[in-house]
Amino acid sequence: MAGEGKKERRDSARDVALEILLDMDRNGRFSSIALEEGLRKIQFQEKEKRAFVTRLVEGTTEYRLQLDMLLDLYAARPVEKQKPKVRSILRMSVYQMLYMDSVPDRAVLSEAAALMKKNHMEGLLGVVNGILRSVQRGVESGVVRELSEKSLSFRYSAPDWLIRRLTEDHGQEKTEKLLEASFTDRPLTVRCNRRKQETADLLRLFTEGEVVAEAGKESLAAVRVKDVDFVRRLPGYRDGCFSVQDESSMLAVEALELKQGESVLDMCSSPGGKACYAAELGADVTARDLTEDKTERIRENAERLGLSLRIEVQDALLPVPEDRERYDAVMADVPCSGLGVMGRKNDIKYHVTPEGIRELALQGREILDVAAGYVRPGGRLLFSTCTILNEEDRETAEAFLKKHPEFTKRKERLFLQGIDPCDGFYYCIMEKHA
């Protein structure tokens, strides 16, 4: 009976996973958003079930290109031309065959058939079953190993053009390391609110709450936690003891070396991680973003942390004349492709395009031009991105310095996932001549 109960939970978990994958496929939604909403519907059900859904959705998503390349070897119709439900069932089934050793192939085939029947697609049941059995035979004959040896795109489930760009910027060895790292489990990093307690106190609070946690690698405020599915359930969250923020982002704020009472403007602030950290460090912070929804997220975080910030709706591309040379420090974390967080947002690599990257880089340059006017003489400008492409970060910084000779580069750092103990991230601090 116990075995039957476990199987029943997994069956319903596959229904939930299919619903989430369909939401992403049909509506073009990012996996992190679709998964969070899907898990919220079952947040009070068994942790085992939530873990199964998370593993199946995230795995199917991050290996999607590889799964499609494999399926296209055996399907008469390309995966992209299949019906959305059929496509999602095929992908999640092959993912289980390849990467979920706890699920026997016979169970994968059986549950795929059950999903087809539940979704009233009995007429295509034979087709789906035939494709999956062909994939099964191909896997047994070593086709995955052969394709992995021939194609980096297949091995790392990433577009060819993206692999070429990363290799041009970082070399093949680093590119393979960072792509490999995108498939590994990563701890969640939080920033201790040291206005409320010391980092050691937060570590103790987590330990008492049976949360696996350790100190960060460089920032004294960083704490790394493992096996977390709902951040808001962590001890101390509601009391404002910490915020989610990657250590690379913390280090960017720390690199500004803010002094007590210095005026700081965060131009693209939502959800407010850098702005709130600057306030925790004693700065007088103004946080801005484009919409009411975005500024509301900043407000919610600041209130939970017990911080006082000026929060305003403002387009970063539109100068505010009365703010000319008003701030000691300006932070511009500009919109970017997000390729530095491929390990956390596993479908970003499928959404980016060379054209989109060019547009984002140009937008970043325009925002920096506006930011330059807000910095007082002797003040600092922090330019940052969560991407790892030179076009969006280093080349943008160099173009800014060439256009604005009144600034001098003081610090610059690039983090690469798989090489550094954090997400991919870039920052550059430039000082305005006094």
Side-chain angles (χ1 to χ4, degrees):
M1 292 295 291
E4 288 179 8
K6 190 170 185 178
K7 179 175 183 294
E8 188 173 296
R9 286 197 297 275
R10 283 191 169 181
D11 287 348
S12 60
R14 286 185 178 87
D15 289 329
V16 176
L18 177 59
E19 183 181 344
I20 295 169
L21 291 169
L22 280 171
D23 183 22
M24 294 162 53
D25 194 0
R26 288 171 169 167
N27 303 315
R29 305 184 78 198
F30 280 100
S31 62
S32 56
I33 298 171
L35 181 58
E36 182 181 4
E37 289 187 5
L39 289 175
R40 196 178 298 134
K41 296 176 183 178
I42 58 170
Q43 62 179 306
F44 300 113
Q45 296 182 32
E46 303 90 340
K47 185 175 182 178
E48 179 189 47
K49 177 178 177 179
R50 299 197 306 272
F52 188 88
V53 170
T54 301
R55 170 81 185 277
L56 186 51
V57 170
E58 289 186 344
T60 302
T61 302
E62 66 186 352
Y63 281 100
R64 192 183 80 195
L65 181 59
Q66 183 187 95
L67 300 174
D68 286 2
M69 292 171 74
L70 189 57
L71 283 162
D72 283 346
L73 292 177
Y74 303 104
R77 176 181 292 183
V79 176
E80 285 298 334
K81 293 187 177 180
Q82 302 275 4
K83 292 182 178 181
K85 282 185 179 179
V86 172
R87 181 163 57 231
S88 294
I89 290 171
L90 285 170
R91 286 170 174 166
M92 61 191 280
S93 298
V94 175
Y95 174 75
Q96 291 170 83
M97 284 183 181
L98 294 179
Y99 298 107
M100 297 184 75
D101 294 337
S102 62
V103 184
D105 285 359
R106 64 179 183 277
V108 174
L109 294 168
S110 173
E111 300 308 336
L115 284 173
M116 293 293 290
K117 291 175 183 176
K118 284 180 185 178
N119 288 277
H120 313 293
M121 295 187 294
E122 291 89 346
L124 293 172
L125 182 55
V127 173
V128 167
N129 186 63
I131 293 171
L132 292 178
R133 287 190 179 279
S134 295
V135 171
Q136 182 185 25
R137 289 191 293 271
V139 171
E140 291 171 352
S141 70
V143 68
V144 173
R145 182 178 62 256
E146 291 175 12
L147 288 172
S148 294
E149 291 172 354
K150 293 178 180 177
S151 168
L152 290 180
S153 179
F154 180 86
R155 186 190 310 171
Y156 297 116
S157 193
D160 277 320
W161 74 265
L162 179 56
I163 293 175
R164 287 195 299 272
R165 285 290 297 272
L166 291 171
T167 303
E168 288 169 6
D169 286 357
H170 308 296
Q172 184 166 333
E173 183 179 353
K174 286 184 177 179
T175 294
E176 291 201 42
K177 282 184 178 179
L178 68 89
L179 288 171
E180 184 69 37
S182 69
F183 295 100
T184 59
D185 290 335
R186 310 173 69 80
L188 177 73
T189 305
V190 302
R191 183 191 73 247
C192 175
N193 182 358
R194 289 183 289 175
R195 284 198 166 190
K196 290 183 176 285
Q197 80 280 293
E198 293 301 317
T199 305
D201 299 322
L202 181 61
L203 281 165
R204 193 177 304 113
L205 180 66
F206 284 159
T207 300
E208 291 171 356
E210 299 183 346
V211 176
V212 180
E214 63 179 8
K217 300 300 182 181
E218 292 190 50
S219 173
L220 295 176
V223 173
R224 294 150 66 95
V225 294
K226 296 180 180 179
D227 303 324
V228 177
D229 56 358
F230 280 102
V231 172
R232 294 179 182 183
R233 289 186 180 179
L234 285 173
Y237 177 84
R238 292 188 178 184
D239 297 327
C241 294
F242 66 88
S243 296
V244 175
Q245 186 179 23
D246 193 69
E247 194 164 2
S248 57
S249 178
M250 296 182 215
L251 292 169
V253 178
E254 292 171 11
L256 277 171
E257 299 179 357
L258 294 169
K259 298 179 179 64
Q260 188 74 26
E262 280 196 306
S263 57
V264 175
L265 170 64
D266 189 2
M267 294 177 65
C268 309
S269 185
S270 185
K274 295 180 188 65
C276 288
Y277 193 19
E280 288 170 15
L281 293 172
D284 178 20
V285 179
T286 299
R288 293 173 176 164
D289 219 310
L290 186 60
T291 66
E292 291 284 356
D293 286 344
K294 290 189 172 185
T295 54
E296 183 58 31
R297 291 184 68 191
I298 304 169
R299 186 171 291 106
E300 288 173 358
N301 282 319
E303 289 177 355
R304 182 178 60 81
L305 295 167
L307 301 171
S308 177
L309 279 67
R310 279 180 297 280
I311 301 171
E312 303 168 353
V313 176
Q314 174 65 35
D315 187 341
L317 290 167
L318 300 177
V320 179
E322 55 268 33
D323 282 351
R324 182 163 182 77
E325 298 191 337
R326 177 177 179 178
Y327 297 96
D328 295 306
V330 174
M331 300 190 292
D333 190 84
V334 304
C336 68
S337 62
L339 289 169
V341 292
M342 282 190 288
R344 300 192 191 278
K345 298 182 179 179
N346 44 36
D347 51 349
I348 276 184
K349 58 190 174 184
Y350 306 128
H351 288 269
V352 296
T353 64
E355 296 75 24
I357 288 168
R358 276 194 293 274
E359 291 175 5
L360 287 165
L362 289 172
Q363 185 182 53
R365 295 183 185 194
E366 291 174 4
I367 290 173
L368 288 180
D369 286 340
V370 175
Y374 297 143
V375 182
R376 68 162 180 80
R380 292 92 73 206
L381 170 59
L382 168 61
F383 160 52
S384 61
T385 71
C386 58
T387 190
I388 51 177
L389 291 179
N390 287 345
E391 184 176 2
E392 294 182 89
D393 45 49
R394 283 175 169 161
E395 290 177 14
T396 295
E398 292 304 321
F400 173 84
L401 290 167
K402 186 175 181 179
K403 185 175 181 179
H404 295 272
E406 71 274 20
F407 281 85
T408 299
K409 180 166 63 178
R410 294 303 184 198
K411 300 175 185 177
E412 182 182 44
R413 190 169 180 184
L414 173 68
F415 302 87
L416 294 175
Q417 65 269 37
I419 296 162
D420 297 293
C422 55
D423 291 337
F425 192 84
Y426 169 86
Y427 74 78
C428 182
I429 292 178
M430 297 165 280
E431 184 177 310
K432 195 171 192 178
H433 302 162

